Amino acid sequence: MEFSSFIFLYCFFPLVFILYRIVSSRYRNLVLLGASVFFYTWGQPQYIILLVFSVGVNYSFGLIIETQQKKGIRNLFFIVDICINLFLLGYYKYYGDYSVKINAAVHHELLPITNVVLPLGISFYTFLSISYIVDVYRMKSKAQRNILDFALYISFFPQIISGPINKYNEIEGQITNHPINSSKTAYGIKRFIYGLGKKVILANTFGAVTDSILKNPTSEIGTGLMWIAAILYTLQIYYDFSGYSDMAIGLGKMFGFDFIENFNYPYLAKSVQDFWRRWHISLSTWFKEYLYIPLGGNRKGNLRTYLNLLIVFFVTGFWHGAGFKYIAWGLFYGVFLVLERLFLNKWLKGNKLSFINHIYTLLIIIVAWVIFRANNLHTAMKYIKIMFTPNSGSEQISSFIDIKIVTFVIVGILLSGVLQSFIKKTKLLVYDEKKIYITESLVQFVILFISIMMLISSSIKSFIYFQF
């Protein structure tokens, strides 16, 4: 069920919101859990058993790990639980693709071919489960005694499909204590509307043009058109994913939860390291806490730090999907992070012309998104070659770009952080939870109206990160 679908906007959410407000506080978590199960079942009813199994296993192992006094047995249960989570993620996310690749490589049906459908949100709720188990194992958090409250943490509908990935130690107190008030509700509505506008008005518009360009054979796409497609996709994925995160954060606020911010104007970054502090913050901090630091972080010398960075970004790419393009995308960033630690950071910090740092970072980001967007790594290499080898192509830019798209691109660039960096008040308004401004309320009404009109006149487009 899409947040931007009519069934969600006009049926599911209003009913859940009203029911949540009228029931006694002791039953509110039960309402949210029931709504979350229904939300997930609506999308993939065949996989609700898998979600229930994941909840049951992690709940049981959390209790065992906390109460077990013998270190060896405690470690064993911890390892077994992590392996179960990773096995489920690995089978459902990677087996189908890699079994075909392995059989093709050995020219023999070594592995049986099965049509495995990726369960919605499995990448995200697996990481939520691992966060819980690790926090209990490290004794940073107490094991959750109430299985219904634990099930709500794993399955809460605003975050289960595409995050944010709220680490258990950061949100455990909110599971049993998430008071609601008018200011939180108003702020939640505001963030939801902004997110809806990002997705429906901007991301979908950029995506439609990008798709129409890239559906053509690479031989027909010229250098200029390829750069336009790359820039449009760079804007599309930002507004698509940050729009989803805004909507999830807004929904959480309306039910009394404070979710982690997932984006901080990443296209304002002046280094690759800075970009990953601003992009998909909940994922990058998850990898930092549960993978990078346990590997040794930067505490074991430079060579080990470089290796750890490459491992983390290899896993980051692999987490996104089974295709080699995702691994290449992750390692592409990993290599530049290593290069920045080796020598680029000194140059970037010493450079007085900061706009050059910004151009360097944007260039890396755009090329990385080309790899990410391509159907496969081979096609990605063709796209990159077109971008950096002058070629006119047979497709005309004017066939895809008009004054409307140019206007949308200008607005998209301005709102991606440029305007906020020059007019600080615009950024403060978005994150102000206390005050309601008449002008801003009128802007929200216009955004909501335009979004609804565009939803009526076009088909629902899934969020990009739903596929992960």
Side-chain angles (χ1 to χ4, degrees):
M1 190 185 303
E2 300 275 351
F3 289 170
S4 55
S5 66
F6 287 113
I7 189 69
F8 182 89
L9 292 171
Y10 290 112
C11 296
F12 177 82
F13 172 69
L15 290 174
V16 174
F17 183 78
I18 293 169
L19 184 60
Y20 180 80
R21 290 303 179 108
I22 63 176
V23 301
S24 169
S25 58
R26 65 185 295 186
Y27 297 116
R28 283 176 175 166
N29 276 7
L30 195 59
V31 169
L32 293 181
L33 178 59
S36 298
V37 171
F38 180 84
F39 178 87
Y40 192 85
T41 306
W42 181 275
Q44 286 185 333
Q46 71 272 31
Y47 283 131
I48 191 63
I49 299 300
L50 178 65
L51 180 60
V52 171
F53 174 78
S54 179
V55 168
V57 166
N58 287 288
Y59 171 78
S60 302
F61 273 73
L63 292 175
I64 294 170
I65 290 168
E66 183 181 66
T67 57
Q68 182 55 242
Q69 299 299 316
K70 294 183 178 180
K71 185 177 180 180
I73 298 176
R74 190 168 179 269
N75 290 346
L76 177 63
F77 275 100
F78 171 72
I79 293 170
V80 170
D81 183 87
I82 296 296
C83 288
I84 291 172
N85 280 294
L86 293 179
F87 171 79
L88 291 175
L89 178 62
Y91 174 76
Y92 284 101
K93 191 161 186 174
Y94 306 107
Y95 179 81
D97 283 333
Y98 280 107
S99 59
V100 173
K101 289 181 173 69
I102 291 171
N103 290 345
V106 300
H107 304 290
H108 177 70
E109 193 170 329
L110 184 66
L111 298 172
I113 305 298
T114 57
N115 184 24
V116 181
V117 178
L118 180 67
L120 284 171
I122 190 170
S123 298
F124 291 89
Y125 72 69
T126 298
F127 272 27
L128 292 174
S129 299
I130 291 175
S131 167
Y132 168 74
I133 288 297
V134 172
D135 288 346
V136 171
Y137 175 77
R138 291 175 175 173
M139 294 183 286
K140 292 180 69 173
S141 301
K142 294 286 187 181
Q144 177 59 251
R145 259 55 186 177
N146 188 324
I147 190 171
L148 297 181
D149 285 346
F150 177 71
L152 178 61
Y153 164 68
I154 298 297
S155 66
F156 193 24
F157 72 87
Q159 65 167 4
I160 187 173
I161 306 299
S162 293
I165 305 170
N166 294 282
K167 298 190 292 291
Y168 187 73
N169 63 71
E170 296 175 341
I171 205 170
E172 60 176 318
Q174 297 185 51
I175 296 172
T176 53
N177 182 30
H178 44 93
I180 54 176
N181 55 57
S182 57
S183 62
K184 268 194 172 184
T185 301
Y187 179 71
I189 293 171
K190 174 172 76 171
R191 287 297 293 270
F192 185 88
I193 291 174
Y194 283 149
L196 182 66
K198 282 182 175 181
K199 166 62 177 171
V200 176
I201 301 173
L202 294 175
N204 288 356
T205 300
F206 298 140
V209 182
T210 303
D211 292 345
S212 66
I213 293 173
L214 297 184
K215 72 180 181 181
N216 293 289
T218 53
S219 59
E220 298 177 10
I221 303 174
T223 300
L225 192 58
M226 189 64 237
W227 272 101
I228 288 171
I231 292 168
L232 285 172
Y233 185 71
T234 298
L235 292 171
Q236 178 196 357
I237 195 167
Y238 168 68
Y239 283 108
D240 189 281
F241 196 16
S242 69
Y244 177 93
S245 295
D246 282 342
M247 295 166 85
I249 290 168
L251 288 168
K253 287 286 184 183
M254 285 184 262
F255 294 112
F257 288 84
D258 297 311
F259 290 166
I260 182 176
E261 291 291 342
N262 219 15
F263 291 87
N264 182 22
Y265 304 112
Y267 295 158
L268 293 182
K270 295 181 180 178
S271 70
V272 173
Q273 188 178 53
D274 187 24
F275 171 75
W276 278 101
R277 292 194 186 109
R278 297 166 174 266
W279 176 274
H280 204 346
I281 297 169
S282 65
L283 180 67
S284 56
T285 55
W286 193 100
F287 274 119
K288 179 180 179 180
E289 184 167 339
Y290 299 114
L291 183 58
Y292 180 68
I293 292 175
L295 285 172
N298 58 1
R299 305 186 307 275
K300 297 187 177 182
N302 289 336
L303 287 177
R304 183 63 178 272
T305 299
Y306 305 149
L307 179 61
N308 291 342
L309 284 169
L310 291 173
I311 291 172
V312 167
F313 276 86
F314 170 85
V315 176
T316 299
F318 192 61
W319 177 85
H320 280 81
F324 293 129
K325 68 170 186 176
Y326 294 117
I327 295 174
W329 172 78
L331 287 175
F332 180 77
Y333 274 120
V335 167
F336 275 95
L337 285 167
V338 169
L339 291 175
E340 287 185 357
R341 283 181 175 269
L342 279 170
F343 65 90
L344 281 177
N345 270 341
K346 292 181 181 179
W347 184 83
L348 292 171
K349 291 177 181 178
N351 178 32
K352 294 181 180 181
L353 301 175
S354 60
F355 73 91
I356 295 178
N357 300 2
H358 188 61
I359 293 172
Y360 146 77
T361 307
L362 280 177
L363 183 62
I364 301 303
I365 292 169
I366 292 170
V367 172
W369 285 137
V370 169
I371 299 172
F372 194 87
R373 169 60 177 80
N375 293 330
N376 51 60
L377 186 56
H378 179 68
T379 303
M381 294 302 99
K382 286 186 175 181
Y383 287 158
I384 294 171
K385 183 179 179 181
I386 292 170
M387 291 171 69
F388 294 99
T389 305
N391 170 30
S392 60
S394 59
E395 289 292 340
Q396 299 298 312
I397 292 176
S398 58
S399 300
F400 304 94
I401 303 300
D402 55 22
I403 189 63
K404 172 190 169 184
I405 300 303
V406 171
T407 302
F408 271 67
V409 168
I410 292 171
V411 171
I413 291 172
L414 288 175
L415 295 182
S416 67
V418 176
L419 184 66
Q420 293 87 341
S421 64
F422 283 104
I423 307 176
K424 304 294 184 183
K425 189 175 181 180
T426 56
K427 180 178 179 180
L428 296 175
L429 284 173
V430 173
Y431 297 104
D432 191 342
E433 296 188 36
K434 304 299 181 183
K435 296 181 180 180
I436 298 175
Y437 301 92
I438 295 177
T439 303
E440 189 185 19
S441 297
L442 291 174
V443 170
Q444 292 169 42
F445 177 80
V446 171
I447 291 172
L448 181 60
F449 178 78
I450 295 173
S451 297
I452 297 300
M453 292 300 100
M454 292 184 72
L455 284 172
I456 291 172
S457 61
S458 62
S459 58
I460 302 297
K461 298 184 186 300
S462 291
F463 289 92
I464 292 172
Y465 263 71
F466 273 24
Q467 63 185 295
F468 305 127

